[in-house]
């Protein structure tokens, strides 16, 4: 960092920092807009099913494992419910 010795150097440094701050804010806004777009339910489903039909075996395996987990959970809850205790 350059040592600031005059008022003009200070003003220039402030302008540079304000410009850098503006650029950073614009970058953050664009990243936030992209994130909000990716988190829309329609885009989540597109990505989920796009990966399933694109031929990637890793995504197919993880989706199949997730589906098997849901099915197992459903079956266990359906058939092994707690029987209420008789009073």
């Amino acid at each position: 960092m350059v040592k600031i010795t005059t008022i003009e150097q200070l003003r220039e440094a402030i302008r540079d920092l304000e410009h850098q701050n503006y650029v950073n804010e614009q970058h953050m806004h664009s990243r936030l807009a992209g994130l909000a777009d990716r988190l829309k339910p329609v885009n989540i489903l597109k990505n989920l099913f796009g990966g399933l039909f694109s031929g990637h075996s890793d995504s197919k395996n993880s989706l199949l494992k997730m589906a098997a987990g849901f099915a197992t959970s459903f079956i266990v809850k359906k058939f092994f419910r707690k029987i209420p205790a008789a009073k």
Side-chain angles (χ1 to χ4, degrees):
M1 180 123 202
V2 178
K3 189 173 183 178
I4 298 173
T5 57
T6 66
I7 296 287
E8 188 56 39
Q9 289 175 339
L10 178 62
R11 289 182 181 140
E12 185 178 334
I14 290 171
R15 279 192 301 268
D16 289 343
L17 289 172
E18 286 174 344
H19 176 70
Q20 182 180 359
N21 187 40
Y22 174 78
V23 169
N24 287 341
E25 284 179 4
Q26 295 303 313
H27 180 69
M28 298 260 296
H29 283 294
S30 67
R31 289 185 65 189
L32 182 61
L35 178 64
D37 188 52
R38 285 194 312 267
L39 291 178
K40 288 181 182 176
V42 172
N43 291 332
I44 290 173
L45 290 175
K46 281 182 186 178
N47 290 336
L48 180 68
F49 290 113
L52 178 63
F53 298 117
S54 68
H56 297 297
S57 62
D58 291 340
S59 59
K60 284 183 183 179
N61 285 340
S62 50
L63 281 175
L64 289 175
K65 287 179 183 177
M66 187 171 58
F70 284 135
T72 304
S73 175
F74 175 76
I75 291 169
V76 167
K77 287 179 183 178
K78 184 78 173 173
F79 295 109
F80 297 106
R81 289 186 196 171
K82 279 188 172 180
I83 299 173
K87 290 187 178 184

